[in-house]
């Protein structure tokens, strides 16, 4: 089970940190990812981190602004969002991939999904 939190409303240029707590399996074996879906759009990849945290991937649209990290002792993955803009408004989902434990941008690679947390960027 994956449970996201930390969403909310933020002004352009502001910051927000999303969290996703995992339960039920050995969290440290999973790669974790963040995806987002804006109204009327397809779900898209945001960021991914390998099981060890040693490898990360980012979508070009968030590179340099967002940071994915994990704390295996807390079974938690984070998405630090800085310099947000209105295009970052979306429902954000965390996902877990346990077959290889490698960071991946492919949605089909992920086995478990959270319910999502809404992020709204507006002035």
């Amino acid at each position: 089970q994956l449970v996201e939190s930390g969403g909310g409303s933020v002004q352009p240029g502001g910051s927000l940190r999303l969290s996703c707590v995992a339960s039920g399996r050995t969290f440290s074996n999973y790669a974790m990812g963040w995806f987002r879906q804006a109204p009327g759009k397809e779900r898209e990849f945001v960021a991914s981190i390998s099981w060890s945290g040693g490898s990360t991937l980012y979508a070009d649209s968030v590179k340099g602004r967002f940071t994915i990290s994990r704390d295996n002792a807390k079974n938690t993955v984070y998405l630090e969002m800085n310099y947000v803009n209105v295009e970052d408004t979306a429902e954000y989902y965390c996902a877990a991939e346990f077959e290889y434990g490698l960071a991946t941008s492919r949605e089909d690679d992920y086995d478990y999904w959270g319910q999502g947390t809404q992020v709204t960027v507006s002035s």
Side-chain angles (χ1 to χ4, degrees):
Q1 184 181 11
L2 302 174
V3 179
E4 302 97 333
S5 63
S9 295
V10 60
Q11 293 186 338
S15 298
L16 209 59
R17 188 174 82 157
L18 307 183
S19 300
C20 173
V21 179
S23 61
R25 279 182 177 251
T26 305
F27 176 76
S28 59
N29 290 345
Y30 306 165
M32 299 295 296
W34 285 97
F35 290 75
R36 66 186 182 186
Q37 186 168 22
K41 294 188 176 181
E42 301 272 321
R43 188 158 59 185
E44 64 175 4
F45 169 73
V46 176
S48 178
I49 188 166
S50 63
W51 67 273
S52 67
S55 177
T56 56
L57 291 174
Y58 294 94
D60 288 343
S61 59
V62 306
K63 202 171 292 184
R65 299 188 299 121
F66 292 9
T67 302
I68 188 170
S69 62
R70 66 189 296 158
D71 184 339
N72 286 346
K74 296 182 178 180
N75 289 357
T76 303
V77 63
Y78 304 98
L79 185 69
E80 187 76 34
M81 306 167 61
N82 297 314
Y83 306 107
V84 298
N85 55 58
V86 294
E87 288 74 32
D88 295 320
T89 295
E91 188 82 8
Y92 283 71
Y93 300 89
C94 73
E97 185 279 337
F98 64 83
E99 185 170 4
Y100 297 108
L102 302 176
T104 174
S105 61
R106 287 166 41 92
E107 190 171 330
D108 288 347
D109 287 344
Y110 290 87
D111 303 289
Y112 297 104
W113 292 83
Q115 294 300 305
T117 185
Q118 177 68 36
V119 172
T120 302
V121 183
S122 70
S123 54

